[in-house]
Amino acid sequence: MFNAPFDSDKQNNNNIYTDWLYQTPRDVRLLMAIVYVETMSGDIQKLDKLPTHLHESLDVIHRIKGGAGQIGLRYIEQLSIETETLGKAHSSAYVSSLVNLIQSIKESIETVEAWIDNEQAALVSVA
């Protein structure tokens, strides 16, 4: 299953939200995108409910940071690191960083959903 080649030549240059998909073997890329959307959507719902609960929010942010790092989504990983650091320091900049992180994740979800739609349409046209 994991022996399909990478095809980074088809990468959508300059898309910080989908570049990581092209580092994933072709045969699991669509599944990874679907899992990403489901997981991040759940994390966003949790963060939306927990903005005043610092400890619980930091747990979710830490998980996002780790997941983003694992798949190579560096932009979200860096925003998560910044937000987590500010939260741990009880910085007044934490809330604005959290808002920025949430907005960026929502944008990434929308972008990956569009990517999924394109991929599924391409599969249907081939079939």
Side-chain angles (χ1 to χ4, degrees), residues 42-69:
D43 287 341
I44 288 299
Q45 287 178 346
K46 289 174 186 166
L47 287 176
D48 282 341
K49 292 178 183 175
L50 298 171
T52 59
H53 298 92
L54 182 62
H55 179 72
E56 291 89 349
S57 293
L58 288 175
D59 287 345
V60 175
I61 294 164
H62 184 78
R63 188 174 55 251
I64 290 169
K65 177 184 75 176

Side-chain angles (χ1 to χ4, degrees), residues 13-67:
N13 294 333
N14 301 321
N15 192 322
I16 59 173
Y17 298 130
T18 58
D19 285 350
W20 65 273
L21 286 164
Y22 296 94
Q23 305 307 313
T24 305
R26 207 176 302 133
D27 62 341
V28 295
R29 197 173 291 154
L30 184 57
L31 177 61
M32 291 287 291
I34 292 168
V35 169
Y36 174 81
V37 167
E38 290 173 357
T39 302
M40 287 300 212
S41 294
D43 287 341
I44 288 299
Q45 287 178 346
K46 289 174 186 166
L47 287 176
D48 282 341
K49 292 178 183 175
L50 298 171
T52 59
H53 298 92
L54 182 62
H55 179 72
E56 291 89 349
S57 293
L58 288 175
D59 287 345
V60 175
I61 294 164
H62 184 78
R63 188 174 55 251
I64 290 169
K65 177 184 75 176

Side-chain angles (χ1 to χ4, degrees), residues 9 30 41 50 57-59 68 70-71 77 82 84 89 96 111 121-122 125:
D9 57 310
L30 184 57
S41 294
L50 298 171
S57 293
L58 288 175
D59 287 345
Q70 285 287 85
I71 64 173
E77 179 187 26
E82 174 186 310
E84 184 179 40
S96 64
T111 303
S125 70

